[in-house]
Each structure stands twice: as structure tokens, then as C-alpha cells.
Amino acid sequence: MSTNLVDVTIVGGGPCGLFASFYAGLRGMSVRIIDSLPELGGQLAALYPEKYVYDVPGFPKILAKDLAHDMIVQGTQFNPELVLEETANELIKTDEGYLIKTVSGLELPTRTVIISAGAGAFSPTKIGVDREDDLHGKGVHYGVRDKSVFKDKKLAIVGGGDSAFDWCINLEDTAGEITLIHRRDVFKAHEDSIEKVKDSSVNMKIWYAVKELHGDDQLTGVTLEHTQTKEKEHFPCDAVIVNIGFKSNLGPIKDWGLNIVKNQIVVDNHYETTLPGVFAVGDVATFEGKLKLIATGVGEAATAVCFAKTYIDPEAKLFPGHSSDMDIPAPQA
């Protein structure tokens, strides 16, 4: 790692940041990626590596860890400088652009910045019952890094969103029995996923919430409460996957003088923030008509890179042409 001045520093090494790195390299820009995690890939690698992703162009379905691997290969093929396990703390305006200071004290100069920090630092939303922390990893889980952990287990999945339904589908061939538990009969998942679960072997306990966890050194069951009648029942199970959302925090970025609304950075149609030369893309950015998809986020990343290029060099073309017309060496896996 160096402390040389680079053309663009990308804050966040998830899918959008990786594609921004690739596209900036394509445009001949020097790149630095800063990420607080020990590995690139963002939530794909850190939260749900064993989950299938269905809405990426060119892949009918692909495991998140495989998508992360391929995006890392693509995003690092132009040899960006990687600054991992570091948190971008301060952003200071300089004559050459900006200086990013990390929590550990590194000083990293850059001409432009692209913030692709996803939802920021994230932590799972907990059920909020006694002994939840004690049984974390001992039957209580907030994600799936290894499907084999649930082999032949009696599994309860708590939640009504995409993650809960996706894990019902993805673990059906692994777990011995799956029950989806949700506190109401309205779901926030894709219609196709809901229909697949309804047509599967997954049991559904609707209008129930988890009120107690049972077991000493390992989870043995839960107490469920009917959210309407308040009647309680004991539900034996070997494991619980809690998928009721994540709490996010932009951390030091919120003090950079940006226009932030509901934990998201407001950008214009160039994906530029209120600070000149500082852009934001992906889940962390907001604008009218925003969709939080990898497919749309990588488009935002490419566009932001091109505007960063013209910010540095006003004589540069905004649109560089199609990659199919360029002589680009194939990346090495």
C-alpha cells in the first residue's frame, strides 16, 4: 500500500465499488479501494455467501460467493490499491482534491471520491428476547455462511422479506424440516419467491412471533406467541435463522458535509454529491426513482466513474465507447 495521490478513491468494496474500480481502470484511472471488512465483496461475501442471487444479468442464478469472486476478479484486474480493514474517517479538501484520513491514522490523497458503502456498517436486527446473545452461534443465526450447519436440522426461519423466503428455498434440500415464522400474513418478498415457498415442503406459521428461546448450551426450541390471540405454544427446533432486517450506520461519512436523508446520500443526475468531485452510488445513494439492485447500481458506478474522469480532465470524453471495441486483456481468475 502507498500513500500516493490517486485519481479516484472508492469507499466500499462491494459489487458497486468493484465495478467502479473495473470501469475506472478501463478508463486509465489510478484507483484505491478502502473497505472496513477484511475481504472484498461486501454483503455478498460477508452476509449471505451461500444464497443464490437471481437478478444479475447473464446469470439465471448464481451463488453470492461466486458472484463476489467473479466481481473481485473483474474489479481488481487493473491492480487497484487495496486498503482493507480500514475505516474512512475524515474527508479534507486539498488543492489536489481530497485527503481521506482513516481511523488508524492513514492519510490517503485522492483527486476524486466515489462512495459505494452500501448501507454503511451493518448489524442484524435482533428478536429482542432473553438469552439471544448467549445462544448466538449455538442455534441462533442471523445469516448463512455454511449451509451444512443446517444439515438435517429442524429449522425455524423468522421473517417475511426476501432473505427469509430465499433461505426457505435455498435450504429446503439441506435442512430436515423448515418452518417459516412471521408475525402477519403480509410479506415483503418477491411474488415469485412467495409462490415457490407456498408450493414447497416449507411449513408456514403466520401470525406468530418468537417470545422465548430455550436450551442451555444449544438451542432446543422457542416459545411462539400468536400476535392476535396472544396464545403461546412451545415449538421445538434445532436452529433459528433471524431475517428481520439490518440496522445500518454511515459512521464517519455522515460528518463529511454531505446532504444525507434517511441514512442515504443525496446525489444529482451525475451521481455527484453536494461536494464537487465526490460521488455516491449503489445503496448508499438516493435520488428520485432510485432502485436498490446490483443491476442498477453497477450502471450508477460506471456513470459516476465517467463523470469523475471528466472532473479530473475536462477534455476527456464522457462516453469512452463500448468495451467490445477495446483491446482488453482477459482477467486472471
Side-chain angles (χ1 to χ4, degrees), residues 11 28 39 64 134 155 167 200 230 291:
V11 181
E39 60 182 343
D134 294 340
L155 172 64
W167 284 125
S200 73
K230 303 305 178 183
L291 290 176

Side-chain angles (χ1 to χ4, degrees), residues 123 225 256 278:
S123 59
E225 180 182 82
W256 286 7
V278 178

Side-chain angles (χ1 to χ4, degrees), residues 118 157 183-184 202 219 250 261 288 318:
I157 296 179
R183 61 175 51 250
R184 54 183 185 152
V202 173
L219 183 76
L250 289 178
V261 176
E288 186 178 356
L318 178 64

Side-chain angles (χ1 to χ4, degrees), residues 96-139:
E96 296 175 305
Y98 292 91
L99 180 71
I100 295 177
K101 288 188 176 182
T102 70
V103 169
S104 72
L106 293 177
E107 296 188 354
L108 306 171
T110 185
R111 293 187 172 90
T112 62
V113 178
I114 295 178
I115 304 169
S116 60
F122 44 83
S123 59
T125 302
K126 298 182 179 180
I127 303 171
V129 296
D130 289 343
R131 304 191 63 246
E132 188 169 357
D133 289 339
D134 294 340
L135 289 170
H136 181 204
K138 300 175 181 177

Side-chain angles (χ1 to χ4, degrees), residues 79-314:
N79 299 314
E81 180 185 315
L82 302 181
V83 184
L84 302 179
E85 295 187 275
E86 287 281 356
T87 298
N89 189 33
E90 295 181 66
L91 182 69
I92 301 168
K93 189 73 177 77
T94 67
D95 292 339
E96 296 175 305
Y98 292 91
L99 180 71
I100 295 177
K101 288 188 176 182
T102 70
V103 169
S104 72
L106 293 177
E107 296 188 354
L108 306 171
T110 185
R111 293 187 172 90
T112 62
V113 178
I114 295 178
I115 304 169
S116 60
F122 44 83
S123 59
T125 302
K126 298 182 179 180
I127 303 171
V129 296
D130 289 343
R131 304 191 63 246
E132 188 169 357
D133 289 339
D134 294 340
L135 289 170
H136 181 204
K138 300 175 181 177
V140 176
H141 306 266
Y142 301 97
V144 179
R145 294 190 62 83
D146 182 1
K147 289 174 62 174
S148 67
V149 169
F150 305 98
K151 179 70 174 174
D152 300 326
K153 297 287 182 67
K154 184 173 183 180
L155 172 64
I157 296 179
V158 180
D162 280 316
S163 290
F165 277 85
D166 286 347
W167 284 125
C168 284
I169 296 167
N170 290 332
L171 289 170
E172 188 181 11
D173 61 352
T174 302
E177 179 183 328
I178 299 177
T179 300
L180 176 69
I181 299 169
H182 188 46
R183 61 175 51 250
R184 54 183 185 152
D185 64 350
V186 177
F187 307 110
K188 294 183 178 180
H190 286 93
E191 293 85 351
D192 181 64
S193 298
I194 295 172
E195 291 305 314
K196 283 180 178 176
V197 170
K198 287 181 176 179
D199 292 339
S200 73
S201 64
V202 173
N203 305 307
M204 300 182 75
K205 287 189 74 69
I206 309 304
W207 300 110
Y208 282 93
V210 176
K211 289 298 180 180
E212 295 179 43
L213 302 172
H214 304 292
D216 294 326
D217 295 327
Q218 186 69 30
L219 183 76
T220 58
V222 301
T223 294
L224 299 179
E225 180 182 82
H226 197 283
T227 56
Q228 294 181 311
T229 67
K230 303 305 178 183
E231 294 181 0
K232 293 184 178 180
E233 66 175 76
H234 179 72
F235 182 82
C237 59
D238 304 308
V240 172
I241 299 175
V242 182
N243 285 140
I244 55 177
F246 285 87
K247 296 176 182 177
S248 61
N249 188 343
L250 289 178
I253 292 175
K254 67 179 182 297
D255 298 320
W256 286 7
L258 305 167
N259 183 9
I260 297 176
V261 176
K262 295 182 178 179
N263 213 46
Q264 294 176 289
I265 301 169
V266 177
V267 297
D268 61 18
N269 59 357
H270 296 175
Y271 304 104
E272 193 168 20
T273 70
T274 49
L275 297 179
V278 178
F279 304 81
V281 299
D283 287 357
V284 77
T286 187
F287 51 88
E288 186 178 356
K290 172 75 178 187
L291 290 176
K292 291 187 177 183
L293 297 170
I294 294 175
T296 54
V298 294
E300 295 171 17
T303 303
V305 164
C306 288
F307 279 107
K309 176 74 174 182
T310 58
Y311 178 86
I312 295 170
D313 178 10

